[in-house]
Amino acid sequence: MSEAGVALVTGGATGIGAACARRLSADGYRIALHYRSSEEKAQKLLKELPGSFSVRANLSDKEEVDAAIKTIKAEAGSVDVLVNNAGYNVNAPMLTMNLDQYDAVAQLARGTWYLTKMVLRRFMFRKSSGRIINISSVVGHTGNAGQIPYTMAKAGLDAFTKSLSQELAGREILVNSVAPGFIETEMTEELSEEIKTSILDRIPQGRMGTAEEVADVVSFLANRAAYVNGSVIHVNGGMYGG
């Protein structure tokens, strides 16, 4: 990818998304930083990313995704790398979770599919190479009690990666997943010490990963992985090997 490339990072204002935005910016990309509600954090992060810009959208809303694509086209023309990082979770056992809670998770997965389709159209129109990098999760492979819609969505994202890579074979558009394990983010900081200890007991390396360690793999897939396609790369300290 050239230094003039554009990388769209969804859910890019915090956590893993923010780390990916910083790393790809350091790699020379202009960042289209997507957020839904974290405007203040997005604008603060943009100050670290030369030449970049933000785009707000609820990915569950088709019209908002269409508007976001128009904004990106006006600002940058096209996208070279798409990092599908945005996610949403509801913690509740299946017997107490209601359909609205399930739909809130499922609709974001639907929105990721639609956004990717719109970006892919630009790839095809330009007849040029591109990279689609999906941020899934180890729990899409191991399961996790109380997170059934989330684990379904993340497992589906990896299946999406494998199927789309086959559809695009031979077009120089590579599609891969990065599946983080337990990563130090604002979400994990809120966990009790008891839960953190139980998590660390499951990780052979004895620590949680960092968002930057996930971003390193995203950078590799965006810039150097010319023969990696349809793969799920696990970043979890040995907790799960696939």
Side-chain angles (χ1 to χ4, degrees), residues 147-178:
Q147 296 184 341
I148 288 177
Y150 183 75
T151 59
M152 289 172 65
K154 292 301 186 180
L157 193 56
D158 286 337
F160 172 59
T161 289
K162 295 173 184 179
S163 296
L164 185 58
S165 67
Q166 293 178 25
E167 288 190 16
L168 300 176
R171 295 182 182 273
E172 295 301 319
I173 301 171
L174 305 183
V175 188
N176 291 286
S177 285
V178 179

Side-chain angles (χ1 to χ4, degrees), residues 119-128 168 171 173:
V119 171
L120 186 56
R121 283 183 172 178
R122 299 299 301 167
F123 285 166
M124 305 293 277
F125 177 77
R126 291 182 305 154
K127 297 182 180 180
S128 62
L168 300 176
R171 295 182 182 273
I173 301 171

Side-chain angles (χ1 to χ4, degrees), residues 200-223:
L200 293 178
D201 287 343
R202 299 163 60 189
I203 304 173
Q205 280 190 240
R207 67 172 178 86
M208 293 189 189
T210 67
E212 288 72 24
E213 287 170 325
V214 178
D216 285 343
V217 179
V218 171
S219 173
F220 166 71
L221 291 173
N223 297 296

Side-chain angles (χ1 to χ4, degrees), residues 10-11 34-36 56-62 64-65 68 84-87 107-115:
T10 70
H34 162 266
Y35 69 94
R36 185 185 67 172
R56 197 211 73 82
N58 176 357
L59 298 184
S60 301
D61 188 309
K62 176 184 179 298
E64 291 195 20
V65 173
N84 281 317
N85 169 75
Q107 287 297 313
L108 181 56
R110 173 180 176 271
T112 296
W113 173 87
Y114 183 69
L115 174 68

Side-chain angles (χ1 to χ4, degrees), residues 3 17 27 34 47 65 79 83 87 98 124-125 142 176 180 208:
E3 291 187 356
D27 290 342
H34 162 266
K47 296 177 182 178
V65 173
V79 171
V83 181
N98 60 50
M124 305 293 277
F125 177 77
T142 64
N176 291 286
M208 293 189 189

Side-chain angles (χ1 to χ4, degrees), residues 171-197:
R171 295 182 182 273
E172 295 301 319
I173 301 171
L174 305 183
V175 188
N176 291 286
S177 285
V178 179
F182 289 98
I183 305 299
E184 292 176 348
T185 63
E186 293 178 358
M187 184 181 299
T188 55
E189 285 176 3
E190 296 174 359
L191 297 175
S192 69
E193 289 304 315
E194 182 180 0
I195 292 176
K196 287 181 181 179
T197 298

Side-chain angles (χ1 to χ4, degrees), residues 18-29:
C20 290
R22 290 189 181 97
R23 179 55 192 269
L24 292 175
S25 177
D27 290 342
Y29 289 93

